[in-house]
Each structure stands twice: as structure tokens, then as C-alpha cells.
Amino acid sequence: MVVRTLLKSGAAAVLSLTFVASALGYQQPAHQAMTVAAAGQSVLSTSSSILPLLQCSSPYPDNNACSLAYVQGAMGQAAYDEDDGKRGLAHFFDAQNGGAPGSIALNMFNPLDAQICAYLHQNFDLIYTSKSSICIYGTPVTFTSKASSEDWILSDSSLWQLSPFFHPDLPLFNCDTENPVPSDAYCDYVLAKSQLVLALTAPSPLARQLAGTTLFFNLGHVLHHIQDQAQPQHVRNDSHCDFPICQTFAQVGLPNALGAPSAYEAYTGVAVPASIALFTQLAANGPMPLNVLPGATSSTPTFALPTDFWSTGGTPPNLFGIGMSEFASYNFLSVGTGPTIGKNSLTPDPAHPQPSQFSQVLEEHVCTATVAGIPAPSGPELYLTGSVIDQLGAGPATSGSYQSYSNVLLGTISAPSLSELATRGLSTNPHWTATQNCVTYDRAMYLLVPQAIRYSAWFIDFMFRGSISATLTADGTLSITNNSQSETLTGGYPQLYADDGSGVRSPAGGTCAVDIPPGATVTCVVAPLPAPAPPSGNYLLVYTGTLGQEAQQVAYTSVAAPKSWDANADFSVNSNPNGPWTYLEDRTAMQAHPTSLPPGLEGWSSGLPVPDAMVIIKNITNSTITQSTRVLVPGLLVLDPEADVVAVSFTAPMAGTYNVQGKFTGADSVGNPHPVEIWLNAQPDPLWDADVLGPGDAESFTLLSLTLSAGDTLYFQVDTGFEGVACTYCYLSTGFDATITLAPQ
């Protein structure tokens, strides 16, 4: 259906009124079939990184997974529902007139028009602020729709709820109220994008499942609009009415200003669901592949904005752009916008001058389907033929790169009767009007329906085109690659998320602002990472920002939690704990930094004066540094217990089998014997122990196939004393190195 808005100037104010003309585009089963086919040909089917990271909920239970079958069902149902009740009010986009939603004149003196107004008022409760009927009896008036298809479905449709043209209590633009989405939900592209973010980042599993379901319902409604742009009446402002009252008028032969029921929709409503496998094959085997956005280059994507799926505008030598609306409007005729053919002339519809190049052929054809009320030829008929140009047939819309289908039957010529000619006189130049029958509907259908499937699949690809991959190291360095070859990710903040054992999702680590050019890799330090890591062993990375020219886009991927840790390489003085590592005085995390360290040294301390100034320090230069009697080689941690105990602990971020290797080394030029140990949790005995006997003495350790649960903690400890002999604050600095790896499962 299409919204028609009257703007009438008055002395006191400008009144805005609305009526409705039914315009279902393709019939509901056809939309459902095309949407299911498109999803099966899109990245939802071919990518292994989109649906597996999402969850969905009833009414299509599939273990809460957004499987392909699930989303096909949800999107297909939503595409079906878009024509329910008052949802189908803005499905027109007149591509040859700047995307205008169209207009129509009503003569309120006409009793049939008056009946239609009364019907609309009774069945749709359409009123304006004076609480009176929308029907104004007077001179003929022109109604213009409030929103084109593009405006309606790509913008925030909740804004239309504020329109003064409808009763404020009507849930006019609610969608899918019978499905598990909020009753005040609006169906549009804006909501689909916001629901994708929620489906990825909402804390509770239930909220993410609901958002995943709402995402695909909304996307299904968007696809309905794209498919309607493949119906010539919808892109040539050819009004048609499928309300019961209009069908009744048509059955008894009465005209009405809103137009007759659409014969093309009735015809495709039978033929498309019955032959959807064939149309799907035609879509998949067409000139352009479905699994990638067509024609994308390293600098310019074919579809840069969602509006491009409607119209992009033509540049010479191409007559029109690459939008679906343009393809249908510039290439095809509709029953009410065909040219008038005179004896020696052909005059296109004034508002729709294209197509304009025709030939005439006398041919006999049969139709795919038989539908009551749709003309079927009983013999040869005179047809108009022309060329259909697909601007994406051979690549991006650049000079000469299009596919042309020649000799397409675009209309049939209906000659006036002999009695009409006699009435006008033989000298009158006879004229014929190009119209449609089942043959021309067939020819249009076999080009338009595959395009509707193809563009629907491309739009799904477009929505999920944000593609990144990433790796994460134990020190919290996140390396992110933009997999797009044509669009930059800008103004975004990558954020890791982790699920706990109950599925509750929360941010993990920090973030940073990064721009990522096409094909480039950038790094972002997100430390400290929490321990333990997610039970699954994977984080979810979500990047929200601008993709190419489109703001509020999202790209996401799974990121494996680090499975190898190095005590020296991972060391940080910025946080304690630092991921799985903690720097301890006895069993308490140090919070102070040593004072009076020479340049090149950094670390943690107890913050106490000697002899209790326990420290863990690191030489961050490339040369050995001597501090008093400590000898610090480059890159090696040095632990000094002074008069107590100092340790570095490692908390297992996930359950598994670990291998632990390293050594303790005397790092004091004087040095005294002292014990070193490795403890697990609060067990009474160490897993490993040894004595460092003096300067340079290295005690290596290897613990293989160590089974740890998430949260288990290993303590690498340096003690005072030796074999019962007290030795505190007595040159005990000890080098420490450890590498821990999670064995493959």
C-alpha cells in the first residue's frame, strides 16, 4: 500500500491529510519465497563467521542458534508480513522522477471515490486532527504519499509514528506483533543495525537471542521493499488497489481512482512460489555472482550506501544507475504507463519517458501460468519489443560494462474497436495503447524476479559486509585486519567481549580508537585482559564505527584467547594483576613502584624501606645494567625477596593441559644460597623446588602435562634462608624466566 498526503493551503493553516491505496508489490507468498531464496544465496550461507556468532530465540527454536534455516524462516515470515494491515503504506519509489512516492487525483464528487474514502475511514480509522473523515467533498484533489519506499525502510520509521495524520492510539507501524519482538518495535534498516549490535554485546543470553531474532525480522522487511522495486508499477507510480472494495469494483466492472487490482502481482503470486527453484537458479547463474558484492574494486564499492539499492543516478553513456528501482522503471512498462502508438507516432507516458525505443512484432506465445482475469492470447498478437539493460551485467556501472537483453516483449498493443473508429471518423488518426497480458508478464517476471532475488542477496551481503580478523597476544596486543578491499573502517572502537560459564557477556580489557584502511592491519593494546579467559577459549571482537561512507556499522569476529604466555615478554608496570600474571610480596599484589631506579629499569615493589623493600624489576634496554650488586641482563625479570618472600603468579585463564618451562638464575654479584619453588594454589607441598647456590647458578624446571582448571594459580617463588640457616637481606636477587603453553586439546 502507499501513503498519499494532501497539502491544502487555507487561511488559517496548512492541513495534511492521508488516504491509502493498496499496493502489495509482489504477493505475500512470492515475497516469502524470494526472501528464503536470497538468504540461501547470500553470505549467510557462504560465510562461516556470521551466523555462528549470533543467537536467536523462538518461534523457530534451533537450540538458540541462528542457523541458516532459522533466519530463512524468520526473514521469509517478515517479508510476508510487511504487507499486513497498515504496514504496507509506503512501497513506491518513482525512479524516473527523483524517487518520488507518487500521486493520484481523487474526485470527491464521484460516488465511487466517496465509497472508497468511507471504506478506508471505516477499516483503517484514518482521521486527522479535527476527528472528521479524510474524505473532503469538493473539487478533484491530488494526494502525495508521505514517504517513499527508500525513505520509509532505510530511515528510522519510528519517526513516522509522530505523524499527525493517524490516530495516536493506533499501533500503525508496529510490525510482527505476533512474533517475539517488542510490540512497539518498528521495522526498518536502522533498527536492524541496532539489533545487530545488541545481538553481539547485550549482557544476558536472552537479550542477545531476542535481538538476533529482531535483527532478521527487520532485515526481512527491508528485503520486501527491495523486491517491490522489481515490480514496474511500484517504480512508475502506477496506482493499483488490492483492497476488497477495489476487488469488488473490478469484479463488477466499476472503475475507481485508486486503480484496479494488480494483474502482474496476481500472476506472479501464482507463478513465483510454484517455480521458485527455477528463479533461484536463474539468480545464482546470472551474469553476476551472488556471493560477493558485484564490481567492488580496491577504491570504489558498487553499493556504497543502502540507498544505492534503490537508485544511484545515471552517468553517460549509461541512461540510468544500478539501483533496483532504476532497472525496473527504465526497462519495463506497467499496465498504466505504456506508450500511446499512433498511425505514424509513438508517445511515451509523459511522466515516464523510458523505455522509448521499441519495435513491433506479430507473434504467438503461451504463458507459464493461467490466472483468472489476466488476458491470455488465443493466437498471434502485436507486441512491442525492446532491449533490457542490466547495468551490473558485466561488472560495475562504468562505461560500456552492462548486459543487454534484446527483443524482450515489453507490451502488447490493444487497438480501438471499429465502432470507436467510426465514431471518431475515418480521418481521425487511430491510436493504440500499449498494455499487458500474461505473455508480457512472463517475460518481465523471468528477468525481474531473479533480479529481486539477486538484489535481496546483495543487500544481505551489504549489511554484513563489515569483515575483520584478529589475533591477540598474552600482553594484550590486539592485531586487527580489515578484510574489505574497498572501504575503510573509521572512528571505531574495537572491544573484546567474554562470556562467563552462565553465558553472561561483558567487556574484556580496554579499547582504543583506530582507523583501518582496506586490507590493512593495525594494533591496539587492550591490556589488561581478565583472568580467567572465556570458558570457550575465545573472545568476541566487535568494532563499531563508520564503514566506507556508512555510519553506525559493525564488524565482528571471534578471537582466540592467548594460549602461550611468557613471564618476561608479558611483563607490565601498568597494571597488577596483568592478565594472568600477578606480581606479589608474599601472596599480596604489589601496588608501588621502586624509587631511585637507574634509567632502563622498571618494576614493582612492596613500597617499604629496607630490609623489607621486596622488588620485581626488569631491564628494558639492550645492555646489561648493574645496580649495586644486582646484575640485570636485558629482558630478564629479577626478583629480590630481601627479608620476606617474593613471587610471580600465573592464573590459568582456561581449563586444560599446560606445559611449564623456565629457570631461576642467581643475579647478584655476591649472592648467597637460597631456595626457589613452584606452588599450585594452597597445596601443602611445592610442585618443584631447588636451591640457587650463588651468582650465575641456573636452576631449570620443566612441568609437562600439568592439568589446571580455570582459575588455578601457579606461584613462582623466591625465598630467603638456606637449609635452615637464616639469610635475609643478604644478596638474594634472582633472575626468573618462564614460558607457559596450553597444549592442543
Side-chain angles (χ1 to χ4, degrees):
M1 291 179 283
V2 60
V3 179
R4 311 289 188 183
T5 304
L6 166 65
L7 299 179
K8 182 179 178 181
S9 298
V14 176
L15 300 179
S16 296
L17 311 175
T18 305
F19 76 83
V20 181
S22 175
L24 296 181
Y26 289 89
Q27 289 189 348
Q28 289 171 302
H31 278 293
Q32 188 171 31
M34 288 189 287
T35 300
V36 170
Q41 296 286 1
S42 72
V43 292
L44 299 180
S45 174
T46 60
S47 173
S48 61
S49 60
I50 295 176
L51 292 182
L53 297 180
L54 298 173
Q55 292 180 302
C56 295
S57 57
S58 301
Y60 306 104
D62 195 5
N63 296 322
N64 291 329
C66 289
S67 66
L68 178 62
Y70 179 102
V71 300
Q72 284 178 308
M75 293 167 63
Q77 182 64 51
Y80 185 102
D81 291 341
E82 174 64 19
D83 273 328
D84 278 354
K86 308 179 186 73
R87 277 296 305 170
L89 296 176
H91 291 186
F92 280 61
F93 184 94
D94 193 341
Q96 294 190 48
N97 290 282
S103 61
I104 190 172
L106 264 186
N107 184 350
M108 297 309 179
F109 286 123
N110 185 327
L112 297 181
D113 290 351
Q115 288 184 45
I116 292 174
C117 282
Y119 172 85
L120 296 175
H121 180 59
Q122 177 183 357
N123 289 276
F124 289 89
D125 197 21
L126 298 179
I127 56 179
Y128 71 109
T129 54
S130 70
K131 304 293 184 183
S132 64
S133 168
I134 66 168
C135 297
I136 298 178
Y137 293 88
T139 58
V141 292
T142 298
F143 289 81
T144 302
S145 70
K146 181 167 180 61
S148 72
S149 168
E150 177 190 288
D151 293 333
W152 171 266
I153 202 67
L154 294 184
S155 63
D156 184 354
S157 64
S158 64
L159 299 177
W160 300 109
Q161 183 73 16
L162 303 179
S163 165
F165 314 128
F166 301 101
H167 193 288
D169 295 330
L170 287 178
L172 183 63
F173 302 119
N174 293 356
C175 63
D176 295 315
T177 53
E178 71 275 24
N179 294 315
V181 295
S183 60
D184 59 347
Y186 304 95
C187 294
D188 56 53
Y189 181 60
V190 172
L191 184 59
K193 293 202 298 184
S194 67
Q195 292 300 301
L196 175 57
V197 174
L198 285 176
L200 295 167
T201 64
S204 79
L206 182 60
R208 296 197 301 274
Q209 293 161 16
L210 182 60
T213 298
T214 309
L215 154 66
F216 288 109
F217 274 123
N218 276 268
L219 187 52
H221 283 267
V222 178
L223 299 186
H224 179 115
H225 279 253
I226 292 175
Q227 293 156 15
D228 269 358
Q229 305 316 296
Q231 208 282 56
Q233 289 176 292
H234 277 253
V235 294
R236 296 175 67 86
N237 189 27
D238 190 354
S239 181
H240 49 290
C241 173
D242 289 283
F243 286 142
I245 190 172
C246 297
Q247 295 174 359
T248 299
F249 286 170
Q251 290 169 4
V252 298
L254 294 176
N256 71 79
L258 302 186
S262 173
Y264 178 74
E265 293 169 12
Y267 188 79
T268 55
V270 173
V272 172
S275 303
I276 191 61
L278 173 60
F279 290 117
T280 303
Q281 181 181 5
L282 291 172
N285 296 335
M288 290 300 299
L290 279 166
N291 59 341
V292 294
L293 289 178
T297 68
S298 60
S299 59
T300 306
T302 297
F303 299 107
L305 291 167
T307 53
D308 292 346
F309 285 82
W310 276 252
S311 173
T312 60
T315 55
N318 296 331
L319 180 64
F320 53 90
I322 63 173
M324 184 70 254
S325 309
E326 294 168 303
F327 176 78
S329 180
Y330 282 85
N331 281 313
F332 295 88
L333 303 174
S334 65
V335 67
T337 64
T340 299
I341 300 97
K343 185 176 181 181
N344 298 304
S345 65
L346 185 149
T347 304
D349 176 60
H352 304 90
Q354 300 299 330
S356 61
Q357 301 298 315
F358 303 98
S359 298
Q360 299 179 25
V361 297
L362 183 66
E363 294 180 350
E364 182 174 2
H365 297 279
V366 295
C367 299
T368 298
T370 300
V371 180
I374 297 178
S378 58
E381 287 206 9
L382 191 59
Y383 292 95
L384 286 181
T385 68
S387 295
V388 170
I389 296 175
D390 182 358
Q391 301 287 23
L392 291 179
T398 55
S399 176
S401 62
Y402 56 82
Q403 176 76 31
S404 179
Y405 303 92
S406 302
N407 302 316
V408 178
L409 302 182
L410 299 177
T412 183
I413 299 173
S414 175
S417 66
L418 291 176
S419 61
E420 183 182 350
L421 289 175
T423 301
R424 291 187 295 165
L426 294 177
S427 62
T428 303
N429 183 18
H431 65 275
W432 294 262
T433 301
T435 184
Q436 303 285 311
N437 64 14
C438 65
V439 173
T440 57
Y441 289 155
D442 253 347
R443 299 307 185 270
M445 177 179 67
Y446 278 100
L447 288 172
L448 287 168
V449 172
Q451 283 289 76
I453 296 172
R454 188 177 292 120
Y455 273 71
S456 296
W458 283 339
F459 194 89
I460 296 171
D461 293 0
F462 177 83
M463 173 150 185
F464 292 98
R465 73 193 187 280
S467 175
I468 54 176
S469 53
T471 59
L472 179 65
T473 59
D475 65 352
T477 300
L478 186 64
S479 298
I480 313 169
T481 300
N482 179 4
N483 295 326
S484 171
Q485 296 303 306
S486 58
E487 295 181 290
T488 299
L489 288 162
T490 57
Y493 292 84
Q495 178 65 62
L496 291 172
Y497 290 85
D499 294 351
D500 65 16
S502 300
V504 175
R505 183 166 296 175
S506 57
T511 186
C512 56
V514 294
D515 297 342
I516 317 177
T521 300
V522 302
T523 59
C524 174
V525 178
V526 296
L529 294 174
S536 66
N538 295 298
Y539 294 98
L540 176 68
L541 174 64
V542 179
Y543 181 104
T544 52
T546 296
L547 177 57
Q549 299 179 40
E550 186 181 11
Q552 298 177 337
Q553 262 293 338
V554 61
Y556 61 96
T557 188
S558 177
V559 183
K563 294 180 173 58
S564 179
W565 300 264
D566 186 302
N568 287 279
D570 300 344
F571 181 75
S572 172
V573 294
N574 296 321
S575 60
N576 188 20
N578 168 36
W581 301 103
T582 306
Y583 313 107
L584 304 164
E585 48 175 310
D586 200 355
R587 291 291 189 267
T588 302
M590 295 175 170
Q591 298 300 320
H593 297 292
T595 59
S596 303
L597 286 178
L601 299 183
E602 62 181 18
W604 294 95
S605 81
S606 63
L608 300 173
V610 293
D612 298 309
M614 294 86 77
V615 294
I616 299 175
I617 52 180
K618 180 181 178 181
N619 178 356
I620 59 174
T621 73
N622 294 321
S623 303
T624 298
I625 296 177
T626 300
Q627 180 200 20
S628 183
T629 59
R630 291 180 185 138
V631 180
L632 298 101
V633 300
L636 185 68
L637 291 181
V638 170
L639 286 64
D640 189 345
E642 292 224 338
D644 203 334
V645 174
V646 68
V648 174
S649 70
F650 173 86
T651 300
M654 64 197 78
T657 301
Y658 289 78
N659 296 321
V660 182
Q661 294 178 298
K663 61 183 177 181
F664 292 93
T665 305
D668 194 291
S669 59
V670 177
N672 281 301
H674 57 282
V676 290
E677 302 110 8
I678 301 175
W679 298 80
L680 173 60
N681 298 328
Q683 292 182 358
D685 299 310
L687 296 178
W688 175 93
D689 62 342
D691 295 310
V692 173
L693 299 178
D697 179 31
E699 299 296 331
S700 299
F701 53 83
T702 299
L703 303 175
L704 301 179
S705 300
L706 184 63
T707 300
L708 299 177
S709 299
D712 281 350
T713 301
L714 296 172
Y715 297 92
F716 301 88
Q717 182 170 302
V718 177
D719 289 347
T720 59
F722 175 68
E723 294 182 350
V725 178
C727 178
T728 60
Y729 191 49
C730 56
Y731 310 105
L732 302 179
S733 294
T734 306
F736 167 66
D737 183 22
T739 300
I740 302 175
T741 58
L742 181 63
Q745 302 300 307

